[in-house]
Amino acid sequence: MKTSLKSEIFDLLSNYPETKEFINHLSEIGELLFFGGSVRDYYVYNSYNNMPRDFDIAIKLESSQELIFERFVEEYSYTKNRFGGYKVVIENIEFDLWNFKNTWAFKENKLSTEEENLVKSVYLSIDGIAYNFNKDKLYDEELRTTFSNKQIDIVLKDNPQKDLNLLRALIFRKRYELDFSVELKQEYLRSIELNENYVEKLYQLQFSHYHNERLTRNEVRVEIENICFC
């Protein structure tokens, strides 16, 4: 990366003073680990061409800071998800926030609660990137391997949102022109066997998650057929 990602985030938010203040204040409460798409976008293009769809941030908190974090976030317009995280919208920018130690893989004892394990908690290797905003430290080994091998792989097989991740993998495959690993292809085959019309299931899932069409029904069908007959 050509410059500090922290400075790039601040440049991106330069016309959003309330959002910038929110990030500053949040970083004083705990350490911010920017995670997934908002960091991947910068990694891939070495710049922010557009505002990310949202920012996923895991916050490392001392026990004494947890209530302070909750009270601060709840000063804003927010909703809570089924995993206990917050969705906050400020100046039309979405933030998905959660207590670092409540990351699903940590709570379920799939991994030890270590900062470097956040990138190992993902289902898809293309999501394996995190950035400690406070320390200016990047964890990107899973994502680097993905682009080096030109292949999306499974990192942590246990995941509560497997179908959504399999949909996302189709989208990323098209966007970045990547292949699927043997293990990931096998996971599609298992899911196809368990679901009568898996093409339709994945096609419809994008509307509940993205609220728009990222892949046409035919594109989903072709992708699934290619996996089945490869």
Side-chain angles (χ1 to χ4, degrees):
M1 291 190 179
K2 64 186 178 184
T3 187
S4 164
L5 182 51
K6 184 174 184 175
S7 65
E8 291 291 327
I9 290 169
F10 276 139
D11 285 347
L12 185 68
L13 299 176
S14 59
N15 294 322
Y16 302 88
E18 187 180 355
T19 305
K20 195 171 178 180
E21 183 182 351
F22 174 78
I23 292 296
N24 262 328
H25 195 157
L26 201 59
S27 68
E28 292 169 359
I29 297 172
E31 290 183 28
L32 309 187
L33 284 154
F34 283 73
F35 184 54
S38 65
V39 192
R40 181 179 57 241
D41 286 352
Y42 185 76
Y43 177 96
V44 172
Y45 303 112
N46 209 22
S47 66
Y48 279 115
N49 298 323
N50 299 292
M51 182 67 71
R53 189 176 74 90
D54 56 19
F55 290 88
D56 296 320
I57 307 175
I59 298 99
K60 289 183 70 178
L61 299 161
E62 300 293 337
S63 297
S64 60
Q65 298 168 313
E66 290 181 356
L67 186 58
I68 296 171
F69 163 66
E70 291 173 5
R71 285 178 173 170
F72 172 66
V73 171
E74 290 173 6
E75 291 176 5
Y76 294 83
S77 174
Y78 74 93
T79 56
K80 291 192 80 171
N81 64 33
R82 64 190 176 100
F83 300 109
Y86 291 87
K87 183 178 289 292
V88 179
V89 180
I90 304 169
E91 297 177 304
N92 292 318
I93 301 172
E94 286 190 10
F95 293 90
D96 287 312
L97 313 168
W98 70 95
N99 188 328
F100 170 80
K101 70 180 184 182
N102 290 338
T103 299
W104 183 85
F106 300 155
K107 285 192 73 174
E108 297 296 319
N109 296 313
K110 306 294 182 183
L111 296 166
S112 60
T113 311
E114 305 292 338
E115 183 172 307
E116 58 269 24
N117 280 344
L118 188 59
V119 295
K120 298 174 184 176
S121 72
V122 299
Y123 185 76
L124 299 172
S125 61
I126 200 163
D127 290 322
I129 186 167
Y131 172 71
N132 187 314
F133 180 85
N134 296 59
K135 296 177 181 175
D136 191 27
K137 185 170 184 178
L138 183 70
Y139 300 92
D140 65 348
E141 54 270 26
E142 296 293 345
L143 186 64
R144 275 192 290 109
T145 300
T146 296
F147 281 99
S148 175
N149 295 340
K150 300 186 185 304
Q151 190 175 87
I152 303 173
D153 200 1
I154 294 175
V155 180
L156 184 64
K157 195 168 184 178
D158 291 334
N159 191 282
Q161 296 181 302
K162 191 167 290 186
D163 289 328
L164 175 58
N165 277 292
L166 293 178
L167 167 65
R168 293 174 65 248
L170 297 180
I171 294 169
F172 293 138
R173 171 175 163 136
K174 178 184 176 183
R175 181 184 301 170
Y176 300 118
E177 299 181 344
L178 299 170
D179 198 359
F180 291 155
S181 69
V182 171
E183 186 179 7
L184 185 52
K185 289 176 182 177
Q186 289 173 343
E187 197 58 49
Y188 277 102
L189 293 176
R190 279 190 285 269
S191 296
I192 291 164
E193 188 175 339
L194 291 171
N195 293 270
E196 185 175 347
N197 190 346
Y198 201 54
V199 168
E200 189 64 21
K201 184 174 185 177
L202 292 184
Y203 175 73
Q204 293 298 335
L205 185 56
Q206 63 187 327
F207 296 103
S208 58
H209 182 69
Y210 296 110
H211 307 293
N212 59 45
E213 185 182 79
R214 300 298 178 90
L215 296 172
T216 67
R217 185 180 279 104
N218 188 59
E219 285 175 321
V220 177
R221 180 180 296 108
V222 169
E223 288 286 356
I224 295 299
E225 287 175 353
N226 286 340
I227 291 167
C228 289
F229 298 109
C230 65

